[in-house]
PDB file of all heavy atoms in Angstrom:
ATOM      1  N   CYS A1435      13.484  21.950  -2.612  1.00 98.00           N
ATOM      2  CA  CYS A1435      13.343  20.520  -2.199  1.00 98.00           C
ATOM      3  C   CYS A1435      12.757  19.810  -3.380  1.00 98.00           C
ATOM      4  O   CYS A1435      11.870  20.311  -4.156  1.00 98.00           O
ATOM      5  CB  CYS A1435      12.441  20.433  -1.019  1.00 98.00           C
ATOM      6  SG  CYS A1435      11.871  18.697  -0.744  1.00 98.00           S
ATOM      7  N   LYS A1436      13.184  18.553  -3.716  1.00 98.00           N
ATOM      8  CA  LYS A1436      12.755  17.848  -4.934  1.00 98.00           C
ATOM      9  C   LYS A1436      11.496  17.070  -4.679  1.00 98.00           C
ATOM     10  O   LYS A1436      10.856  16.540  -5.690  1.00 98.00           O
ATOM     11  CB  LYS A1436      13.901  16.851  -5.376  1.00 98.00           C
ATOM     12  CG  LYS A1436      15.280  17.431  -5.295  1.00 98.00           C
ATOM     13  CD  LYS A1436      15.484  18.613  -6.185  1.00 98.00           C
ATOM     14  CE  LYS A1436      16.931  19.171  -6.146  1.00 98.00           C
ATOM     15  NZ  LYS A1436      17.303  19.937  -4.895  1.00 98.00           N
ATOM     16  N   HIS A1437      10.985  17.019  -3.420  1.00 98.00           N
ATOM     17  CA  HIS A1437       9.741  16.236  -3.095  1.00 98.00           C
ATOM     18  C   HIS A1437       9.867  14.899  -3.798  1.00 98.00           C
ATOM     19  O   HIS A1437       8.920  14.502  -4.545  1.00 98.00           O
ATOM     20  CB  HIS A1437       8.505  17.113  -3.548  1.00 98.00           C
ATOM     21  CG  HIS A1437       8.406  18.273  -2.743  1.00 98.00           C
ATOM     22  ND1 HIS A1437       7.803  18.292  -1.478  1.00 98.00           N
ATOM     23  CD2 HIS A1437       8.837  19.587  -2.872  1.00 98.00           C
ATOM     24  CE1 HIS A1437       7.809  19.560  -0.917  1.00 98.00           C
ATOM     25  NE2 HIS A1437       8.438  20.327  -1.845  1.00 98.00           N
ATOM     26  N   CYS A1438      10.932  14.134  -3.486  1.00 97.00           N
ATOM     27  CA  CYS A1438      11.190  12.848  -4.164  1.00 97.00           C
ATOM     28  C   CYS A1438      10.159  11.847  -4.115  1.00 97.00           C
ATOM     29  O   CYS A1438       9.452  11.747  -3.051  1.00 97.00           O
ATOM     30  CB  CYS A1438      12.494  12.269  -3.397  1.00 97.00           C
ATOM     31  SG  CYS A1438      13.842  13.327  -3.155  1.00 97.00           S
ATOM     32  N   ALA A1441      11.602   9.232  -0.887  1.00 96.00           N
ATOM     33  CA  ALA A1441      12.336  10.266  -0.035  1.00 96.00           C
ATOM     34  C   ALA A1441      12.938   9.585   1.149  1.00 96.00           C
ATOM     35  O   ALA A1441      12.311   9.065   2.036  1.00 96.00           O
ATOM     36  CB  ALA A1441      11.231  11.332   0.378  1.00 96.00           C
ATOM     37  N   ALA A1442      14.251   9.707   1.108  1.00 95.00           N
ATOM     38  CA  ALA A1442      15.016   9.060   2.223  1.00 95.00           C
ATOM     39  C   ALA A1442      14.743   9.784   3.556  1.00 95.00           C
ATOM     40  O   ALA A1442      14.742   9.216   4.669  1.00 95.00           O
ATOM     41  CB  ALA A1442      16.500   9.121   1.980  1.00 95.00           C
ATOM     42  N   CYS A1443      14.384  11.134   3.545  1.00 96.00           N
ATOM     43  CA  CYS A1443      14.049  11.873   4.738  1.00 96.00           C
ATOM     44  C   CYS A1443      12.906  11.251   5.470  1.00 96.00           C
ATOM     45  O   CYS A1443      12.888  11.143   6.673  1.00 96.00           O
ATOM     46  CB  CYS A1443      13.878  13.385   4.445  1.00 96.00           C
ATOM     47  SG  CYS A1443      12.499  13.672   3.324  1.00 96.00           S
ATOM     48  N   VAL A1460       6.313  16.250   0.312  1.00 98.00           N
ATOM     49  CA  VAL A1460       6.911  15.868   1.417  1.00 98.00           C
ATOM     50  C   VAL A1460       7.006  17.068   2.415  1.00 98.00           C
ATOM     51  O   VAL A1460       7.638  18.098   1.952  1.00 98.00           O
ATOM     52  CB  VAL A1460       8.292  15.256   1.167  1.00 98.00           C
ATOM     53  CG1 VAL A1460       9.011  14.890   2.504  1.00 98.00           C
ATOM     54  CG2 VAL A1460       8.308  14.005   0.366  1.00 98.00           C
ATOM     55  N   CYS A1477      19.103  13.148   3.269  1.00 97.00           N
ATOM     56  CA  CYS A1477      18.594  13.809   1.987  1.00 97.00           C
ATOM     57  C   CYS A1477      19.856  13.880   1.069  1.00 97.00           C
ATOM     58  O   CYS A1477      20.921  14.383   1.308  1.00 97.00           O
ATOM     59  CB  CYS A1477      18.134  15.207   2.264  1.00 97.00           C
ATOM     60  SG  CYS A1477      17.892  16.165   0.691  1.00 97.00           S
ATOM     61  N   PRO A1478      19.623  13.261  -0.172  1.00 96.00           N
ATOM     62  CA  PRO A1478      20.788  13.251  -1.081  1.00 96.00           C
ATOM     63  C   PRO A1478      21.101  14.670  -1.763  1.00 96.00           C
ATOM     64  O   PRO A1478      22.104  14.775  -2.313  1.00 96.00           O
ATOM     65  CB  PRO A1478      20.351  12.308  -2.142  1.00 96.00           C
ATOM     66  CG  PRO A1478      18.834  12.112  -2.117  1.00 96.00           C
ATOM     67  CD  PRO A1478      18.453  12.518  -0.662  1.00 96.00           C
ATOM     68  N   PHE A1479      20.321  15.665  -1.518  1.00 97.00           N
ATOM     69  CA  PHE A1479      20.462  16.944  -2.093  1.00 97.00           C
ATOM     70  C   PHE A1479      20.846  17.964  -1.005  1.00 97.00           C
ATOM     71  O   PHE A1479      20.994  19.209  -1.399  1.00 97.00           O
ATOM     72  CB  PHE A1479      19.154  17.399  -2.699  1.00 97.00           C
ATOM     73  CG  PHE A1479      18.707  16.436  -3.802  1.00 97.00           C
ATOM     74  CD1 PHE A1479      17.712  15.523  -3.474  1.00 97.00           C
ATOM     75  CD2 PHE A1479      19.220  16.458  -5.049  1.00 97.00           C
ATOM     76  CE1 PHE A1479      17.292  14.608  -4.405  1.00 97.00           C
ATOM     77  CE2 PHE A1479      18.764  15.541  -5.953  1.00 97.00           C
ATOM     78  CZ  PHE A1479      17.853  14.673  -5.713  1.00 97.00           C
ATOM     79  N   VAL A1481      19.039  19.288   1.336  1.00 97.00           N
ATOM     80  CA  VAL A1481      17.939  20.229   1.569  1.00 97.00           C
ATOM     81  C   VAL A1481      17.716  20.450   3.005  1.00 97.00           C
ATOM     82  O   VAL A1481      17.481  21.557   3.474  1.00 97.00           O
ATOM     83  CB  VAL A1481      16.697  19.688   0.738  1.00 97.00           C
ATOM     84  CG1 VAL A1481      15.503  20.539   1.227  1.00 97.00           C
ATOM     85  CG2 VAL A1481      16.905  19.767  -0.703  1.00 97.00           C
ATOM     86  N   LEU A1482      17.684  19.366   3.752  1.00 96.00           N
ATOM     87  CA  LEU A1482      17.237  19.533   5.180  1.00 96.00           C
ATOM     88  C   LEU A1482      18.274  20.154   5.989  1.00 96.00           C
ATOM     89  O   LEU A1482      19.455  19.809   5.860  1.00 96.00           O
ATOM     90  CB  LEU A1482      16.729  18.129   5.661  1.00 96.00           C
ATOM     91  CG  LEU A1482      15.312  17.837   5.221  1.00 96.00           C
ATOM     92  CD1 LEU A1482      15.020  16.415   5.262  1.00 96.00           C
ATOM     93  CD2 LEU A1482      14.315  18.565   6.096  1.00 96.00           C
ATOM     94  N   LYS A1508      12.036  22.991   5.828  1.00 97.00           N
ATOM     95  CA  LYS A1508      12.256  22.951   4.342  1.00 97.00           C
ATOM     96  C   LYS A1508      11.031  23.385   3.649  1.00 97.00           C
ATOM     97  O   LYS A1508       9.942  23.545   4.219  1.00 97.00           O
ATOM     98  CB  LYS A1508      12.818  21.656   3.910  1.00 97.00           C
ATOM     99  CG  LYS A1508      11.671  20.577   3.996  1.00 97.00           C
ATOM    100  CD  LYS A1508      12.029  19.375   3.145  1.00 97.00           C
ATOM    101  CE  LYS A1508      10.836  18.459   2.868  1.00 97.00           C
ATOM    102  NZ  LYS A1508      10.016  18.977   1.806  1.00 97.00           N
TER     103      LYS A1508
HETATM  104  S1  LIG C1339      14.903  16.476  -1.711  1.00 76.17           S
HETATM  105 FE1  LIG C1339      15.567  15.812   0.398  1.00 76.17          FE
HETATM  106  S2  LIG C1339      14.200  16.868   1.815  1.00 76.17           S
HETATM  107 FE2  LIG C1339      13.280  16.910  -0.295  1.00 76.17          FE
HETATM  108  S3  LIG C1339      11.929  15.089  -0.356  1.00 76.17           S
HETATM  109 FE3  LIG C1339      13.928  14.498  -1.217  1.00 76.17          FE
HETATM  110  S4  LIG C1339      15.041  13.592   0.460  1.00 76.17           S
HETATM  111 FE4  LIG C1339      13.408  14.800   1.442  1.00 76.17          FE
END
Side-chain angles (χ1 to χ4, degrees):
Chain A
C1435 165
K1436 317 298 179 289
H1437 295 274
C1438 310
C1443 60
V1460 178
C1477 170
F1479 303 96
V1481 167
L1482 280 155
K1508 72 163 195 78

